[in-house]
Amino acid sequence: GAVVSQHPSWVICKSGTSVKIECRSLDFQATTMFWYRQFPKQSLMLMATSNEGSKATYEQGVEKDKFLINHASLTLSTLTVTSAHPEDSSFYICSARDGYYEQYFGPGTRLTVT
Amino acid sequence: KNEVEQSPQNLTAQEGEFITINCSYSVGISALHWLQQHPGGGIVSLFMLSSGKKKHGRLIATINIQEKHSSLHITASHPRDSAVYICAGPMGEDTDKLIFGTGTRLQVFP
């Protein structure tokens, strides 16, 4: 089956710094990638939809200047958390769609901001 | 407003038991997903289905489009099946943005 990877799997950063998370589709081309966030004991929430070569579409309440998404190729999307704050600590998950309607999920990245 | 509801929220079982987790949604869908999340957070896609039934090993997923209901079954459950199981469906018609259920926490004891 299709594989989506994320890097890093976990990261600790200091408040005020920026951190980049990568999402890669390893064996297929992803026309669309989705970024989700999950707080402890809560469900996943969609943050933004990323289409290759165009600007991401952010969900209501998600700050686009804080969560920068770049989908520069059909196999890579990146999420950069800028000027991170402790409240940004969360589990970030991406999924990738292969041009049909099936979505494949990455394993997630746990971000801790100290 | 589309909602995805799961039941039960928590489930405990003895090894070997047959397990059923239910998912109901309110908007017509193109596909419904079942995901597994282990402690530590990693998510594994189990199934994506839009009709009928799918089987993978000891896992079976069924969907009834008319009743807007899906079930995930685990046969001969094992402690390694202990995880949170999440169903997810599209936020609305003609979209592949997903809305997630709150998950069912399953613990299987030896």
Side-chain angles (χ1 to χ4, degrees), chain B residues 19-97:
Chain B
I19 288 163
T20 296
I21 300 170
N22 296 300
C23 177
S24 297
Y25 50 92
S26 58
V27 176
I29 63 166
S30 55
L32 183 130
H33 298 254
W34 281 101
L35 311 171
Q36 180 191 57
Q37 186 170 33
H38 280 282
I43 285 190
V44 175
S45 295
L46 298 176
F47 296 104
M48 189 201 71
L49 68 166
S50 55
S51 65
K53 174 180 172 179
K54 285 190 175 180
K55 184 175 188 293
H56 181 70
R58 295 179 294 106
L59 302 178
I60 303 167
T62 63
I63 191 166
N64 184 317
I65 298 295
Q66 287 73 30
E67 294 185 4
K68 294 185 171 54
H69 181 270
S70 177
S71 293
L72 177 68
H73 306 284
I74 305 175
T75 62
S77 59
H78 190 276
R80 63 175 175 267
D81 297 326
S82 299
V84 176
Y85 293 84
I86 303 167
C87 67
M91 286 185 176
E93 304 283 357
D94 300 323
T95 179
D96 50 10
K97 294 184 188 178

Side-chain angles (χ1 to χ4, degrees), chain A residues 37 39 45-48 57-67 88:
Chain A
R37 180 168 54 182
F39 291 108
M45 295 293 292
L46 178 66
M47 297 175 67
T57 303
Y58 291 81
E59 295 301 302
Q60 193 172 7
V62 178
E63 299 175 59
K64 61 181 180 181
D65 294 329
K66 181 168 185 59
F67 298 100
D88 298 325

